[in-house]
Amino acid sequence: MNNKSTALVAVPVMLSFFVMGFVDLVGIASNYVKEDLALTDVQANICPSLVFFWFLIFSVPTGMLMNRIGRKNTVLLSLVVTALSLAIPLFGESFPIILLSFALLGIGNALMQTSINPLVSTIITGPHLASTLTFGQFVKAIASFMAPYIAMWGATGGIPSLGLGWKVLFPIYMVISIVATLLLWSTPIEEQPATGKTSSVVDCLRLLANPTVLMAFVAIMCCVGIDVGTNTTAPKILMERLGLSLNDAAFATSLYFICRTVGCLSGSFLMRVMRHSTFYAVSIVLILLSACGLVWGTTQTMLYVAVGLMGLGNSNVFSIIMSKALLSMPDKQNEVSGLMIMGLFGGTVFPVVMGYASDAVGQAGAVGVMALCGVYLLACCRKM
């Protein structure tokens, strides 16, 4: 594929990465749902947990589905499910409706994240795969940090005539999902047909016997645990320690994703000239420094710096781990991708654990759980 063709294909693929970022609206949305319905931390954290639960169920079967219908068609299916999930909250405000929406959002995102990374690998091969995936994460992060701003804008009367409040997020992102679907559908992408025997779920799970794949699987669980944890916990820390309102504290979520966006953009260039292991180690050190700041920070400046460090540190870890796993077994990329995205089930496990920890000892308990994830990621440095 020549450079011009690659550029044309990259546009709809990168817009799909943007749609992938819609899943991160669950962080700020769970805080608004908690306030609207007077929920506890454990109840409110069901929202992100429900989103990421479906990665456990659908990721490996999606890897097998790609072998049957192709990577592009699987991404298209994910875009359609995502658009549907964003339409549902427009029909009511009850907790069951929100949970149904987030469940479909999680299913669509599981399909998306499993299929889009192998789709990129059909366009970009070799050592530039990690930096390209990181650039895709940069595009994803733009959608992520926009979500809190759009929610705050709606909550403060951005479009009074619609009467949606913070839920104005949903129709805006739904329209973008539909545009992304049509654009990718109309773009031809050449894929190599799957060869050999079709893998079963058991065959896919057996790949965890590969030490590199197993290490990457657990690392991705920790990585997404930190991501979802910061997304949901940072505003609560500001509210707990500084007495800010939810609308004011929601800036912490945006700050996290702004710094993630900056980190992804800079990382897509730096990883072309730095050793990935060195870049990875620096990223984990930033995460651990951030955790210290979130536990002991007492001023708004200290807490904002800590949130920013977490965004910078966690911006490229996922891409490095994913590329390491994909390149470790090039003949099983669909299956390995399914396993890695199944690791996003960490987004279900860790918010629940953090909810219990924060209900017991305050938000510092939730940060402690994230710090343990950072310690594991640091232990992976030598193998990375």
Side-chain angles (χ1 to χ4, degrees), residues 226-243:
I226 292 171
D227 187 64
V228 178
T230 306
N231 194 1
T232 57
T233 302
K236 296 174 186 176
I237 291 176
L238 290 169
M239 294 165 67
E240 177 185 83
R241 297 187 194 164
L242 304 179

Side-chain angles (χ1 to χ4, degrees), residues 49-349:
S49 294
L50 185 62
V51 166
F52 289 95
F53 168 76
W54 301 105
F55 289 96
L56 177 66
I57 305 299
F58 282 95
S59 298
V60 170
T62 300
M64 298 158 56
L65 179 66
M66 281 190 286
N67 289 334
R68 294 181 178 273
I69 69 173
R71 297 169 180 179
K72 174 186 170 181
N73 288 335
T74 308
V75 174
L76 284 171
L77 177 61
S78 74
L79 290 169
V80 171
V81 175
T82 299
L84 178 61
S85 73
L86 296 168
I88 288 176
L90 304 180
F91 297 97
E93 300 180 357
S94 68
F95 195 42
I97 286 179
I98 294 295
L99 291 180
L100 175 60
S101 171
F102 286 171
L104 284 177
L105 185 63
I107 292 170
N109 210 259
L111 294 169
M112 169 82 73
Q113 298 222 37
T114 304
S115 55
I116 198 167
N117 294 299
L119 182 62
V120 171
S121 72
T122 66
I123 305 168
I124 305 293
T125 58
H128 293 319
L129 177 59
S131 60
T132 304
L133 291 178
T134 289
F135 186 77
Q137 292 296 315
F138 158 70
V139 175
K140 172 182 179 286
I142 295 174
S144 299
F145 85 71
M146 282 175 57
Y149 279 115
I150 296 173
M152 286 186 288
W153 175 63
T156 54
I159 310 182
S161 60
L162 291 181
L164 293 173
W166 67 269
K167 292 197 300 179
V168 73
L169 262 173
F170 295 105
I172 292 174
Y173 278 0
M174 179 187 68
V175 170
I176 298 173
S177 299
I178 294 171
V179 171
T181 303
L182 296 175
L183 189 58
L184 182 62
W185 175 74
S186 63
T187 302
I189 299 178
E190 296 180 10
E191 298 182 47
Q192 293 294 327
T195 59
K197 182 176 73 72
T198 301
S199 298
S200 65
V201 172
V202 174
D203 292 332
C204 292
L205 293 176
R206 282 176 181 157
L207 297 179
L208 290 172
N210 182 306
T212 300
V213 174
L214 179 60
M215 175 207 69
F217 175 79
V218 179
I220 281 181
M221 285 191 69
C222 293
C223 175
V224 74
I226 292 171
D227 187 64
V228 178
T230 306
N231 194 1
T232 57
T233 302
K236 296 174 186 176
I237 291 176
L238 290 169
M239 294 165 67
E240 177 185 83
R241 297 187 194 164
L242 304 179
L244 299 183
S245 68
L246 176 55
N247 282 335
D248 292 332
F251 174 72
T253 301
S254 285
L255 176 62
Y256 170 72
F257 285 116
I258 289 170
C259 292
R260 268 200 63 178
T261 304
V262 172
C264 287
L265 181 60
S266 59
S268 65
F269 296 103
L270 290 174
M271 280 195 288
R272 292 176 180 263
V273 296
M274 288 180 64
R275 287 173 58 87
H276 289 182
S277 57
T278 302
F279 192 84
Y280 176 88
V282 171
S283 298
I284 305 306
V285 169
L286 291 179
I287 288 174
L288 293 175
L289 287 174
S290 168
C292 293
L294 291 173
V295 170
W296 290 294
T298 55
T299 67
Q300 189 166 342
T301 300
M302 292 173 65
L303 293 173
Y304 279 163
V305 169
V307 171
L309 287 177
M310 189 69 81
L312 290 173
N314 204 33
S315 57
N316 300 287
V317 174
F318 177 87
S319 299
I320 295 174
I321 296 169
M322 175 62 81
S323 64
K324 177 75 173 177
L326 291 176
L327 295 175
S328 69
M329 302 189 74
D331 58 330
K332 293 287 185 180
Q333 286 191 346
N334 288 353
E335 292 85 347
V336 169
S337 179
L339 281 174
M340 293 304 102
I341 301 306
M342 188 171 72
L344 269 65
F345 178 66
T348 292
V349 175

Side-chain angles (χ1 to χ4, degrees), residues 19-44:
V19 173
M20 188 199 299
F22 294 175
V23 74
D24 290 318
L25 67 82
V26 70
I28 190 62
S30 65
N31 285 295
Y32 278 106
V33 170
K34 177 186 175 183
E35 187 174 80
D36 291 347
L37 303 179
L39 306 177
T40 66
D41 270 345
V42 172
Q43 291 171 323

